[in-house]
Amino acid sequence: MKKKKILQNHKRYGKVFIPPFQHMLGPLSEISWIKTMMPELLWIALIQDYHGLHEGVALITRFTRSARKCSSSKKKNIFATITSLGELTKDEMLCLQGELIARGDLFEIQKALFPLIALYPECPLDFLYSIKPSSSVEKKEHLERMKNVVGGMYNKISRDTMMVQATAIWLAFDSGVLKVFEGLALAKFPEIERYPHTELSEKVAASIRSSIYMLFTEHHYQDSENWPKYFWNHGIGVDKCYFGESSND
């Protein structure tokens, strides 16, 4: 009876008991922070780098809420990754553009993402621009900004990178996809703003780093990884630089 109570929230498949968290999100697989997750979350990093944390989070939240409003999909979409936003239909993209224009957010997003689209013309977020930015204009400035943001993201536990991951998890909360039990570290999510200055914020950060993989389960992410592959392959031609694998990957 005691064992039954402990596992009563688990789903049983034969002799295997699947925890409720994993059952809801799907199987968790090994995904590289550097090869896959960094390119997918780069748009969040660029917006927060340009607009600052609080204004950036507010802008990103309005953006993804508008995306969900325009999406005809019946499933709950988080829209935290570049790939997921690129999977919108043409009509949904036009709807999203209209929503962003009406709120006065489109230009603010365009300014923040300008280097990404200028240097990576096949980025799925190019639909946000009626006229594609050219890398020949202010290329050095765009390149330096991209290098600074991408370079900083190699350190998965730095404050800026933790705020990117925290924002992605916030979008999972905001979309209604993620819910946590009271008493878990992630239930104290707002404490992440104090990272890394309190013990609780360190615990919340660790929970966020573990939970970020949920965004890349089969329910929320297509395994083709077309954008991440393009990002790194095209990046070799954009600028020859090497940061090396991170011990936090």
Side-chain angles (χ1 to χ4, degrees):
M1 290 297 292
K2 187 175 181 180
K3 182 178 181 180
K4 185 177 180 179
K5 288 183 179 180
I6 293 174
L7 300 176
Q8 63 183 357
N9 292 324
H10 288 51
K11 296 291 182 179
R12 182 173 181 173
Y13 295 92
K15 296 182 179 180
V16 179
F17 289 87
I18 307 298
F21 176 82
Q22 184 174 341
H23 173 74
M24 178 181 68
L25 301 175
L28 303 180
S29 56
E30 288 294 326
I31 296 180
S32 169
W33 166 254
I34 292 175
K35 294 177 181 177
T36 302
M37 288 190 268
M38 269 179 54
E40 291 288 4
L41 302 180
L42 179 57
W43 75 282
I44 294 177
L46 285 166
I47 289 178
Q48 292 181 178
D49 173 71
Y50 189 91
H51 290 290
L53 178 59
H54 292 94
E55 184 179 345
V57 171
L59 183 60
I60 290 164
T61 300
R62 293 195 298 272
F63 179 88
T64 53
R65 286 177 179 174
S66 295
R68 288 196 294 274
K69 180 180 178 181
C70 291
S71 174
S72 59
S73 175
K74 292 183 179 180
K75 76 172 186 178
K76 293 181 179 180
N77 288 309
I78 301 172
F79 289 122
T81 63
I82 287 178
T83 292
S84 65
L85 289 162
E87 289 172 348
L88 292 168
T89 66
K90 288 185 178 180
D91 287 342
E92 290 167 346
M93 289 178 180
L94 288 173
C95 172
L96 178 53
Q97 280 185 315
E99 287 285 323
L100 295 175
I101 291 172
R103 291 178 175 272
D105 288 337
L106 182 60
F107 185 53
E108 299 305 318
I109 292 171
Q110 288 175 334
K111 289 189 295 183
L113 299 183
F114 198 97
L116 178 63
I117 309 303
L119 297 171
Y120 294 84
E122 294 181 30
C123 176
L125 296 182
D126 67 345
F127 73 88
L128 294 171
Y129 297 79
S130 298
I131 300 176
K132 288 189 178 182
S134 172
S135 62
S136 61
V137 180
E138 300 176 335
K139 181 176 181 179
K140 184 177 180 180
E141 179 182 339
H142 297 324
L143 184 57
E144 286 303 310
R145 182 161 171 255
M146 279 289 290
K147 287 173 67 174
N148 288 335
V149 173
V150 173
M153 291 183 75
Y154 270 76
N155 183 358
K156 194 176 179 182
I157 64 174
S158 71
R159 176 173 169 80
D160 286 345
T161 308
M162 273 308 315
M163 294 305 107
V164 171
Q165 296 170 83
T167 300
I169 293 299
W170 155 245
L171 296 180
F173 278 121
D174 190 55
S175 64
V177 170
L178 179 61
K179 300 184 187 327
V180 296
F181 292 108
E182 185 178 355
L184 296 177
L186 202 56
K188 306 291 185 182
F189 183 78
E191 182 69 14
I192 194 61
E193 287 199 51
R194 300 184 182 183
Y195 179 83
H197 304 297
T198 67
E199 183 179 352
L200 179 56
S201 70
E202 292 273 9
K203 291 180 180 179
V204 174
S207 186
I208 287 172
R209 289 194 297 272
S210 298
S211 301
I212 200 72
Y213 291 92
M214 66 164 282
L215 304 179
F216 298 89
T217 61
E218 61 184 16
H219 294 305
H220 305 291
Y221 188 73
Q222 297 298 318
D223 199 27
S224 62
E225 298 184 353
N226 289 332
W227 160 245
K229 288 178 182 177
Y230 167 71
F231 177 80
W232 291 118
N233 289 336
H234 183 71
I236 296 174
V238 171
D239 185 62
K240 295 181 180 180
C241 58
Y242 179 73
F243 293 100
E245 286 288 326
S246 168
S247 59
N248 300 313
D249 189 23

